[in-house]
Amino acid sequence: MADVLRSLRLGGRGDPARACALALGAEGVALSLLVGNGRMAEPLWCHPEVSARFEELQFTLGEGPGPDAVRTGSPVMEPDLDRVRPDRWPALLPPARDLGVHGVCCFPLGIGAIRVGVLTVLCDGDRTMSVQQSADATALAAALTGALLNGDGRGQRGEDGNGNGDRSGSGNGGPVLGLFLDRPTGLHRAAVHQATGMISVQLGVTMEEALLRLRAHAYGSERPLGEVADDVVARRLRFNNSDDTTNNASDNGDGFDDDMNGPYSPGDGKG
């Protein structure tokens, strides 16, 4: 792990998730950042594909070791999911096993009450995490936390502020992780953010409640959260306060009821 962190501080290129997974001896690694007022988890990088799918599963359901780690500010170590109480994550455990996930350990990124992200480590088929693996993952989480909290965009790249590419680690943010934490130019889950806002207006509820309603519909319909969000944004689906949680697109051609309860989009009618 020391070699990996040293390489990353020097701005090493390549796949950081793969490098960290190999250094940790893990089945997979994922890093998600918390963004927006709702502190939604945005994936920064994952390796391999099962890590990305597990992150999406946690995000859709709103439960699992990742959300628990963010909420409590403490690592959540469950290297053997078969030994987890069924009522701890009732919606997550069955599909996680279907994905072939044996165990998961999540490390929050933050200091005190400040939370900036979460590092997720998928355990191998031995369903264990050794003391050394735990120490290495903790060190990685601490390094990521420092990089995210201390550096601005230039500092994270190790530049001298003039774009000259000084990677000595002496930028505005102090020791940083080079290109390791280049922030994404756009949100992977932009539709979820937009749909949450639309549902908030449609139902007259907080953003937190709107996200819960969106997640509940995704879970009930057994569809990915992003897919349901796309339907809301495209106006194929709207939420209301009747016994029926949602209405599909109506026959008036605009995909919404004519009760004017939805959010508005300038120039094109109801949202």
Side-chain angles (χ1 to χ4, degrees):
M1 180 54 66
D3 290 340
V4 170
L5 291 178
R6 186 178 304 110
S7 173
L8 296 172
R9 288 193 182 96
L10 295 174
R13 297 179 181 272
D15 184 345
R18 183 176 183 275
C20 290
L22 290 173
L24 290 171
E27 284 287 301
V29 172
L31 173 65
S32 292
L33 307 184
L34 303 180
V35 301
N37 293 333
R39 309 303 287 158
M40 291 188 190
E42 276 286 332
L44 186 60
W45 43 250
C46 304
H47 177 85
E49 177 63 23
V50 66
S51 294
R53 294 174 66 187
F54 182 75
E55 287 294 279
E56 188 65 26
L57 181 63
Q58 290 194 105
F59 183 68
T60 294
L61 300 176
E63 70 176 36
D68 281 4
V70 170
R71 178 176 54 82
T72 64
S74 300
V76 176
M77 315 286 282
E78 294 294 352
D80 186 354
L81 290 184
D82 285 345
R83 302 186 67 177
V84 176
R85 297 191 323 272
D87 61 347
R88 184 174 187 184
W89 303 311
L92 178 86
L93 291 175
R97 294 189 186 101
D98 290 343
L99 287 176
V101 175
H102 306 292
V104 187
C105 296
C106 292
F107 301 81
L109 307 186
I111 298 176
I114 300 173
R115 308 278 190 275
V116 294
V118 60
L119 175 71
T120 299
V121 179
L122 301 188
C123 302
D124 61 22
D126 291 337
R127 302 173 187 266
T128 61
M129 173 167 272
S130 69
V131 173
Q132 185 62 55
Q133 285 176 310
S134 179
D136 287 344
T138 300
L140 176 59
L144 294 171
T145 297
L148 289 166
L149 291 178
N150 294 334
D152 64 10
R154 290 169 300 172
Q156 288 168 3
R157 287 169 176 78
E159 294 175 357
D160 61 4
N162 297 315
N164 294 327
D166 173 17
R167 301 194 177 278
S168 63
S170 58
N172 294 340
V176 291
L177 298 186
L179 296 176
F180 186 38
L181 289 177
D182 278 356
R183 294 175 183 262
T185 56
L187 297 177
H188 293 278
R189 293 166 173 156
V192 176
H193 292 266
Q194 186 175 353
T196 300
M198 293 173 69
I199 295 168
S200 175
V201 175
Q202 289 168 13
L203 299 179
V205 298
T206 65
M207 294 288 282
E208 291 77 10
E209 175 68 17
L211 181 57
L212 287 175
R213 296 288 291 270
L214 182 63
R215 279 175 165 150
H217 183 77
Y219 177 67
S221 60
E222 298 183 345
R223 298 172 63 200
L225 187 64
E227 189 176 287
V228 176
D230 286 338
D231 280 352
V232 174
V233 172
R235 305 175 185 177
R236 293 186 292 267
L237 189 66
R238 71 167 293 143
F239 284 64
N240 58 49
N241 284 314
S242 67
D243 291 337
D244 295 329
T245 304
T246 56
N247 285 339
N248 289 323
S250 62
D251 292 332
N252 62 7
D254 66 2
F256 275 70
D257 297 335
D258 288 329
D259 59 7
M260 304 295 284
N261 288 331
Y264 287 79
S265 298
D268 69 349
K270 292 169 287 184

